[in-house]
Amino acid sequence: MEPAKKRRTSPEWEHFDLISPNKVKCLLCSRELGYNNNTSSMLRHYRAIHENKEGHGGGPAKARPTRKQDLDEALANLIVKDTQPFSVVEDVGFRACVALLDPNYVTPTRQVCLGEEDQAWGRRTRPGGGGPGLMEEDQV
């Protein structure tokens, strides 16, 4: 008698195929990820790469920024306000601290941070300045 196959109940399996006992493949971008009998890496990959590219439930993506977008903006503000180099996101200590604060957050590359910083700077210098998360004294 054959053993019963494990039933996959996580919604992440809609976007991934098991290609070997320890590898899964993303159906949206064909990237292969490690698989260790849980969907953590699949969830992190989907949230970081695909969450805002496709609408949820067939409708448009949410207008409210996601947690990742909020954290990316906060990181850009940290770099601007504290005049940190963009390479701070690649520092081992910084990554360890972020991983402890939020293990699911994928720290953006310094190139992505540069783009976020440009957007943050634009919000600060735009007439009527400011934006969500910016303090009143930060507005020009």
Side-chain angles (χ1 to χ4, degrees), residues 46-59:
Y46 180 78
R47 284 182 176 167
I49 308 297
H50 305 296
E51 189 168 51
N52 288 328
K53 290 184 181 174
E54 65 176 38
H56 298 286

Side-chain angles (χ1 to χ4, degrees), residues 62-122:
K62 299 180 224 173
R64 162 101 174 77
T66 64
R67 176 154 169 77
K68 176 160 176 46
Q69 289 170 328
D70 289 342
L71 291 172
D72 287 350
E73 183 176 337
L75 178 57
N77 285 333
L78 174 135
I79 290 171
V80 170
K81 290 178 182 178
D82 296 342
T83 59
Q84 295 291 323
F86 295 109
S87 62
V88 73
V89 299
E90 296 170 345
D91 292 346
V92 174
F94 179 82
R95 287 188 175 270
C97 181
V98 168
L100 186 61
L101 293 170
D102 186 347
N104 292 322
Y105 179 62
V106 178
T107 309
T109 64
R110 61 180 160 178
Q111 289 82 10
V112 171
C113 287
L114 178 59
E116 287 289 324
E117 184 271 342
D118 286 343
Q119 290 175 0
W121 187 255

Side-chain angles (χ1 to χ4, degrees), residues 2-23:
E2 275 184 47
K5 287 196 174 190
K6 186 177 175 183
R7 193 170 144 219
R8 294 190 173 104
T9 58
S10 172
E12 293 310 308
W13 286 109
E14 294 175 18
H15 308 290
F16 293 88
D17 273 339
L18 186 65
I19 58 174
S20 76
N22 62 351
K23 283 217 185 266

